[in-house]
Amino acid sequence: MQRIPGLYITLQNGGIIKRTLVTNKGETVLDETTIGAELIWFAELDFNTYLDALIKIEALAEKTEDDDPNRFGTVYLDTFDELLTESNELVYDIEDVYPALGSLLRFDLLDHTPKDDGTALYVYNAKFAICKQIAEPVIFYILLREVLEDLSAGVPLDLKDKYADLSQGIFTQRYTFTGTLETEYFFRSIKNYFQFLLINCLNSDPNVARCLCCGQYFIPKTRKATMYCDRVISNGKTCKEIAPVIKHKIAVDTDPVLKAFERTKQKMYKRYERAADSLKKLSKGISIEKYWDWSEAASVARDKYLRGELTAEEALKIIEVND
């Protein structure tokens, strides 16, 4: 029996996951990985180009309708067609580099974009659906990095408030029996796939650390406190080898740059959350794009400071937001 297009996974002992991507072109068995490795991989992706595409698509969505009250309900189909073209090109570009992610985004758009009935209402509903589904991976990426940050810092996860959205997810479950019972999970959404993995990860009391040299997250091989990963980042040297250069800074709890980063991060995330939960942006609320720009620049500045590539004064100019 031919399977519905989507991503099929099975969970194995030790957090191992086996994955099969089914598209209209056939089935592809993806490389075996682990839940932790897949989450870390997603958390390390560079979303800058994707975010640029999202901003362009959102701008086109705004221009599909006339904002003149006297022309209420007027839509511009040429602009809407351009929005569809940009969305399709984004999916194709992702499929070229990351076939599973591109396919999941394509399935998600197909599942949530209404069918064209020839009315202006279709354009209105479709543009919002497209923007929402394309924004979801970025929103989940930000949430995932917040979760990993809390886990690496030993902060108990606030599942009632900050991470309340993690309490529910959507997936399809099926099973096969050929002497042994095997449960298979089916996904057609980037968010649902990675949220499922994250919930399973949290259910296993994960050991997550953030490298104090490169700033990336990793899963230590043992439960012993580990501050540096094995990534090669400079002149063939790993973070562990470079560690002595920055060790004296991270040992100081009163370091002004590290304190400013944590303080400002909390403030900016709260602003982003407030704006995301409000139909009308609050005066202190910020868009996902503004939070992203600050987070990327501030994280780079913090890590360069730790490696001695920026002075405290230079880093603080980038990190602090005084308003």
Side-chain angles (χ1 to χ4, degrees), residues 10-289:
T10 58
L11 304 180
Q12 311 290 315
N13 292 333
I16 295 172
I17 55 175
K18 293 185 177 181
R19 304 165 297 161
T20 301
L21 177 64
V22 179
T23 67
N24 293 330
K25 297 179 180 179
E27 298 191 7
T28 303
V29 177
L30 305 178
D31 292 340
E32 192 175 283
T33 185
T34 65
I35 291 175
E38 185 77 340
L39 289 170
I40 297 293
W41 172 79
F42 187 72
E44 289 184 352
L45 288 177
D46 183 350
F47 267 83
N48 285 297
T49 301
Y50 186 98
L51 191 62
D52 288 342
L54 172 60
I55 293 171
K56 185 173 184 179
I57 290 167
E58 288 179 334
L60 288 170
E62 288 290 328
K63 294 176 182 177
T64 57
E65 293 182 76
D66 200 310
D67 56 7
D68 185 343
N70 296 319
R71 295 174 60 82
F72 179 76
T74 301
V75 296
Y76 299 103
L77 294 180
D78 288 346
T79 304
F80 181 68
D81 286 341
E82 189 178 352
L83 182 155
L84 294 178
T85 298
E86 289 293 332
S87 301
N88 283 326
E89 287 184 356
L90 174 62
V91 173
Y92 284 126
D93 288 344
I94 298 172
E95 284 177 326
D96 284 341
V97 184
Y98 307 115
L101 291 187
S103 295
L104 285 172
L105 181 59
R106 181 181 298 281
F107 301 147
D108 207 12
L109 287 168
L110 287 171
D111 291 344
H112 291 90
T113 304
K115 295 187 180 299
D116 187 358
D117 61 2
T119 68
L121 186 60
Y122 157 72
V123 175
Y124 180 84
N125 290 332
K127 72 172 187 176
F128 278 110
I130 291 169
C131 289
K132 181 178 183 297
Q133 300 314 315
I134 292 178
E136 270 197 345
V138 186
I139 294 170
F140 183 79
Y141 170 91
I142 291 173
L143 181 143
L144 173 61
R145 289 187 66 89
E146 286 293 314
V147 169
L148 294 176
E149 181 68 20
D150 284 351
L151 289 174
S152 66
V155 177
L157 297 187
D158 180 5
L159 296 175
K160 291 184 178 180
D161 185 15
K162 185 177 181 180
Y163 301 123
D165 289 345
L166 290 179
S167 63
Q168 298 183 42
I170 300 173
F171 64 87
T172 300
Q173 184 175 341
R174 61 193 297 272
Y175 68 87
T176 56
F177 184 73
T178 55
T180 57
L181 183 65
E182 185 173 73
T183 303
E184 193 172 49
Y185 302 92
F186 169 69
F187 300 91
R188 285 173 63 89
S189 158
I190 292 175
K191 174 190 173 182
N192 290 339
Y193 168 56
F194 283 101
Q195 182 165 315
F196 175 79
L197 295 185
L198 179 55
I199 291 172
N200 273 275
C201 179
L202 296 178
N203 195 46
S204 64
D205 187 24
N207 183 28
V208 177
R210 186 178 71 81
C211 179
L212 295 177
C213 183
C214 70
Q216 297 295 338
Y217 300 100
F218 68 103
I219 299 177
K221 296 176 181 178
T222 68
R223 286 280 172 179
K224 183 180 178 181
T226 308
M227 295 187 291
Y228 309 101
C229 70
D230 294 315
R231 293 179 179 86
V232 177
I233 64 166
S234 179
N235 298 322
K237 292 185 177 181
T238 67
C239 290
K240 285 182 179 178
E241 293 171 319
I242 297 174
V245 177
I246 65 173
K247 196 169 184 178
H248 70 284
K249 290 181 180 176
I250 61 174
V252 181
D253 293 336
T254 58
D255 185 278
V257 173
L258 300 185
K259 288 183 68 177
F261 177 83
E262 292 301 324
R263 181 179 64 251
T264 309
K265 181 170 78 73
Q266 291 180 23
K267 178 172 72 174
M268 296 294 280
Y269 189 77
K270 283 294 183 184
R271 290 183 176 182
Y272 157 67
E273 277 191 316
R274 289 207 308 262
D277 292 339
S278 176
L279 292 177
K280 294 182 178 180
K281 297 283 190 293
L282 302 178
S283 59
K284 289 291 186 178
I286 57 174
S287 66
I288 186 174
E289 293 86 1

